[in-house]
Amino acid sequence: MCRMRAIFKPMTDKQRQELKQMCGGSWKLVLRFLLAGEACTRREKSQAIAGPGHSIAVTSKGAVYSFGSNNTGQLGHGTTDEESRPRLIRSLQGIRIIQASAGAGRTMLISDTGKVYAFGKNSFGEADYGLLGNKLVTTPQLVESLKDIFVVQSAIGNFFTAVLSREGRVYTFSWGIESKLGHQTEANDLQPRPLLGPLENIRVVQIAAGYCYLLALACQPSGMSVYSVGCGLGGKLGHGTRNDEKQPRLIEQFQSLNLQPVVVAAGAWHAAVVGKDGRVCTWGWGRYGCLGHGNEESESVPKVVEALSNVKAVHVATGDYTTFVVSDNGDVYSFGCGESSSLGHNTVAEDEQENRQVNVLSPKLVTSLKQVKERVVQISLTNSIYWNAHTFALTESGKLYAFGAGDKGQLGVELVANQTERPNPEKVEIDLS
């Protein structure tokens, strides 16, 4: 059964035996490790990424389309011209992409052979508002410093970038000047550094990057767990304090809740997890109701969203004070900041003259997505504090719907004169199946 998994097939016998020992000496544990990674990252499947001002869409066959803002070449077409419609990145012809990530002014793509391609800002560690790198890269370029690491996932955070290897090891670029990630590096460092500490001998299946922090979903013989590292402002590391962590630290609250994490999401200032039993936990800064607990209070340890007690969740996505949850039947719930129409509810405060959206303090069914009459399997939303947010909903058949901010063409749909956002989901003319 392990041989049927895509990332296991190209491994040599020696590499397979090494992975077996890393996972606890059992092929059953290896299979659980492989399946856990596929389940939480949509590896080898179609996906859409709502980045800061620009968007990336990957088809099930590995072709890549991009659209939106392109001031640093982050669309990969060899120019710095904006694109308001999805455009195929033709220079990737013959390369199958299985995962994508988007940050402010930069994009990273992972191929089925573990190679990493990057374009846009020539830096792995700049802030959203930072200066540009030494040069702009306007077409996908192989990241030479990662050529000896078989990468399966990337995550772009503020001030740093992280990648996950096939064997479940985490590597980071930059943001080590104050040992924030357990190593000393400069902001323009292009060399990956292994994430030191407890995760050195623990297999990781998913990474998620927020504003100055990183979450890692780990797979051990005893079960699944979550580790966090980086900036602790707002309690977003989940340890009951607001202290920074220089090395990964286990979030112990899940054991108290008897919850087995299977999906993790890192928003700008808050985080979320889906448990194997379908429960959803959130923690961090609670501004605008983004934690879904009916108020705007912060939580420094994971707390179950009781309003979703009758919902079995399978997917969660977080952004800048916004959260989306997808249930096992395809229903979508959202809560948090309602600016730029990114929650999909299209409700306006009665005392507002302008089309200003209402904040949602508790999970609310996105009825506009019910009208597409298809099961939603993935939600992606902008995870940046410096850009107006937009949201993608991907259906089981590969149809893509967009709503929220579209001032840079990042929705991939046509806007009428003077319109800068779409309050309701609109189909993007692209087939990702």
Side-chain angles (χ1 to χ4, degrees):
M1 293 180 72
C2 290
R3 292 192 186 100
M4 296 173 61
R5 315 324 303 175
I7 69 171
F8 188 84
K9 288 179 182 178
M11 297 179 79
T12 64
D13 289 339
K14 181 180 178 181
Q15 290 171 332
R16 292 175 178 180
Q17 289 297 329
E18 288 176 349
L19 181 61
K20 179 182 177 182
Q21 293 306 312
M22 291 175 184
C23 290
S26 162
W27 288 119
K28 184 177 181 180
L29 292 176
V30 172
L31 180 61
R32 191 180 73 168
F33 164 74
L34 296 172
L35 293 176
E38 292 176 8
C40 59
T41 60
R42 289 191 62 78
R43 191 183 298 155
E44 304 277 331
K45 298 180 181 178
S46 58
Q47 56 189 271
I49 309 298
H54 75 289
S55 303
I56 304 295
V58 183
T59 72
S60 59
K61 293 183 179 180
V64 182
Y65 292 80
S66 61
F67 44 103
S69 177
N70 194 31
N71 60 312
T72 60
Q74 62 265 45
L75 297 187
H77 301 302
T79 72
T80 55
D81 299 330
E82 287 183 5
E83 298 286 345
S84 60
R85 296 284 186 177
R87 180 180 172 185
L88 179 68
I89 303 180
R90 298 191 180 278
S91 62
L92 291 170
Q93 186 173 0
I95 300 172
R96 186 187 180 199
I97 298 301
I98 63 169
Q99 196 265 334
S101 57
R106 52 200 169 112
T107 304
M108 293 184 76
L109 304 174
I110 314 297
S111 77
D112 61 349
T113 59
K115 302 301 182 184
V116 181
Y117 298 85
F119 43 102
K121 282 185 182 181
N122 182 33
S123 168
F124 290 111
E126 292 184 73
D128 285 1
Y129 54 83
L131 298 174
L132 303 180
N134 297 327
K135 62 179 181 179
L136 302 186
V137 180
T138 60
T139 58
Q141 299 294 317
L142 187 68
V143 179
E144 291 291 338
S145 61
L146 288 169
K147 64 182 180 181
D148 295 327
I149 301 172
F150 194 113
V151 176
V152 294
Q153 191 202 344
S154 62
I156 299 176
N158 215 50
F159 301 109
F160 75 98
T161 300
V163 297
L164 178 65
S165 78
R166 173 176 59 186
E167 295 77 21
R169 292 194 179 99
V170 182
Y171 298 82
T172 61
F173 295 87
S174 305
W175 208 47
I177 293 176
E178 298 180 20
S179 296
K180 294 286 188 181
L181 296 175
H183 54 71
Q184 294 280 350
T185 63
E186 298 297 328
N188 59 354
D189 189 10
L190 300 180
Q191 292 299 318
R193 311 284 175 166
L195 195 59
L196 303 177
L199 289 180
E200 289 182 71
N201 298 308
I202 296 175
R203 301 308 99 201
V204 172
V205 297
Q206 183 200 358
I207 53 176
Y211 189 88
C212 309
Y213 74 108
L214 180 72
L215 300 179
L217 179 63
C219 182
Q220 299 170 262
S222 58
M224 305 292 287
S225 55
V226 180
Y227 289 76
S228 62
V229 61
C231 172
L233 280 176
K236 59 183 181 287
L237 296 185
H239 304 301
T241 71
R242 296 190 176 190
N243 299 332
D244 296 351
E245 296 290 340
K246 295 180 180 179
Q247 291 191 343
R249 179 180 171 186
L250 174 68
I251 299 179
E252 299 177 353
Q253 182 68 5
F254 296 117
Q255 295 174 343
S256 302
L257 295 171
N258 193 28
L259 185 142
Q260 187 93 252
V262 292
V263 180
V264 64
W269 300 105
H270 73 293
V273 151
V274 172
K276 188 175 181 180
D277 58 5
R279 284 184 292 169
V280 176
C281 287
T282 58
W283 67 96
W285 243 317
R287 195 176 181 187
Y288 305 120
C290 64
L291 300 184
H293 301 307
N295 53 49
E296 295 190 50
E297 296 178 7
S298 299
E299 301 289 342
S300 59
V301 294
K303 180 179 179 179
V304 174
V305 181
E306 296 296 344
L308 292 171
S309 59
N310 294 323
V311 174
K312 185 174 182 180
V314 294
H315 173 69
V316 65
T318 49
D320 180 20
Y321 297 120
T322 50
T323 306
F324 278 74
V325 173
V326 181
S327 73
D328 59 348
N329 65 0
D331 284 344
V332 178
Y333 299 81
S334 68
F335 42 99
C337 181
E339 289 186 8
S340 76
S341 303
S342 63
L343 292 181
H345 298 305
N346 194 26
T347 55
V348 182
E350 294 180 1
D351 58 346
E352 294 283 354
Q353 297 298 318
E354 298 179 1
N355 186 29
R356 184 178 175 82
Q357 303 300 307
V358 177
N359 298 326
V360 179
L361 305 185
S362 295
K364 182 178 179 181
L365 181 66
V366 184
T367 56
S368 56
L369 283 173
K370 293 282 284 184
Q371 298 171 11
V372 307
K373 301 186 185 306
E374 274 201 68
R375 184 171 175 267
V376 173
V377 293
Q378 185 217 356
I379 293 286
S380 177
L381 59 156
T382 307
N383 189 13
S384 170
I385 64 176
Y386 301 106
W387 288 82
N388 290 329
H390 68 292
T391 304
F392 286 133
L394 179 64
T395 70
E396 200 167 31
S397 68
K399 293 184 177 65
L400 185 63
Y401 294 84
F403 50 98
D407 53 314
K408 297 293 184 180
Q410 63 266 50
L411 294 180
V413 300
E414 186 175 352
L415 299 179
V416 299
N418 299 320
Q419 189 179 34
T420 59
E421 59 189 50
R422 299 278 314 184
N424 293 314
E426 181 166 337
K427 187 174 180 296
V428 182
E429 292 304 319
I430 182 174
D431 182 8
L432 298 184
S433 64

